[in-house]
Amino acid sequence: QQQVKQSPQSLIVQKGGIPIINCAYENTAFDYFPWYQQFPGKGPALLIAIRPDVSEKKEGRFTISFNKSAKQFSLHIMDSQPGDSATYFCAASNPGGSQGNLIFGKGTKLSVKP
Amino acid sequence: KAGVTQTPRYLIKTRGQQVTLSCSPISGHRSVSWYQQTPGQGLQFLFEYFSETQRNKGNFPGRFSGRQFSNSRSEMNVSTLELGDSALYLCASSFSGHSTDTQYFGPGTRLTVL
C-alpha cells in the first residue's frame, strides 16, 4: 500500500513532442506529490509538486495532472527539448510526515531526440 | 548559496570493509536525509537526522548507520560491506525536514564493492 508505481520505465520522443509519465498509488492518505528530475552525475532536483486539492498545476513547460478518484497523477512536458533528457521520479508523501515518508517511484528515463 | 556537497564522489571497497561517507548540507538547513539509489530498487530512504537526532529510519540492516554533528554536517557508515551495497548514496538537506519541505540533493557518492 506504500508503493508508488511509475510507468513507463523509459521513453523516447522527438523534439517538440509531449512525453507523459504516469504514477499510481494505493494509499489514500498521501497528500503531497512531487516530481524530481535527475541528470546523469547529479542528484535529483525538485521539478514541480501538487496537492490533491487541485487537478492540475503548470510550471513553465511542465504540467502535473492529478486524478484523485483514480489515485493517479502524471507529468506532461510540453514542447520537449533535448535538454529535458533525464530521469524523472514521481513521489508521494503521508500527511504531516517527515522526509522519510516520501515514497519514490522507480523512475522514467526520458530521451528527447533532436 | 553553496549546494549540498558530498565526499568522496567515488569509492571502491572490498567485501567486509567498512566505509564512511560525508555530507555537508546547505547553510541553515538542519535536516539531512540519506538515500540509496540502485537501478533495480530506485531511491530508497535510509535515515533522516535533524538537530543531531535520528528522526526517521528506513528499512535497512543495522550495518547502515549515521550521525549528524552540531554544524548539521552528517556522515553515514556502512560496516561489513556486501556486494549488494554497491550503489549511489545520496544526501539531501532541507530546512525543516517536513515531507513538503523542498529537499536539495547532493551529487552523490558512487560506492562500488568488489
Side-chain angles (χ1 to χ4, degrees), chain B residues 9 15-17 24 26 38-39 59-60 65-66 77-78 99 103 108 112:
Chain B
R9 291 293 311 278
R15 278 185 301 172
Q17 286 187 308
S24 292
I26 289 173
T38 58
N59 190 25
F60 277 82
S65 63
N77 186 76
V78 188
S99 59
Q103 289 191 93
T112 302

Side-chain angles (χ1 to χ4, degrees), chain A residues 37 39 61-62 80-86 88 110 112:
Chain A
Q37 180 189 54
F39 292 105
R61 296 183 294 107
F62 299 92
S80 60
Q81 301 296 313
D84 296 329
S85 298
Y88 292 82
L110 171 66
V112 181

Side-chain angles (χ1 to χ4, degrees), chain B:
Chain B
K1 218 179 213 186
V4 177
T5 57
Q6 292 187 246
T7 56
R9 291 293 311 278
Y10 302 92
L11 263 180
I12 299 176
K13 293 285 186 179
T14 56
R15 278 185 301 172
Q17 286 187 308
Q18 76 164 21
V19 66
T20 299
L21 313 181
S22 181
C23 171
S24 292
I26 289 173
S27 177
H29 285 188
R30 295 164 68 189
S31 168
V32 174
S33 297
W34 288 89
Y35 295 84
Q36 182 193 66
Q37 186 175 27
T38 58
Q41 298 299 317
L43 274 158
Q44 293 188 285
F45 172 76
L46 279 155
F47 28 66
E48 186 234 352
Y49 285 86
F50 184 86
S51 292
E52 301 179 67
T53 300
Q54 186 182 91
R55 279 203 307 197
N56 213 338
K57 190 177 189 306
N59 190 25
F60 277 82
R63 300 185 297 106
F64 291 82
S65 63
R67 59 177 175 168
Q68 187 180 33
F69 302 95
S70 58
N71 61 358
S72 293
R73 191 177 69 83
S74 177
E75 288 180 347
M76 70 162 279
N77 186 76
V78 188
S79 62
T80 321
L81 284 166
E82 299 177 1
L83 294 179
D85 297 333
S86 293
L88 180 68
Y89 289 88
L90 291 161
C91 161
S93 76
S94 68
F95 181 72
S96 70
H98 189 275
S99 59
T100 59
D101 196 12
T102 300
Q103 289 191 93
Y104 295 87
F105 283 83
T109 294
R110 171 75 61 187
L111 172 64
T112 302
V113 182
L114 303 176

Side-chain angles (χ1 to χ4, degrees), chain A residues 84-112:
Chain A
D84 296 329
S85 298
T87 300
Y88 292 82
F89 295 91
C90 63
S93 171
N94 284 319
S98 70
Q99 299 289 2
N101 288 346
L102 203 56
I103 311 297
F104 285 88
K106 293 281 179 76
T108 296
K109 187 172 182 180
L110 171 66
S111 180
V112 181

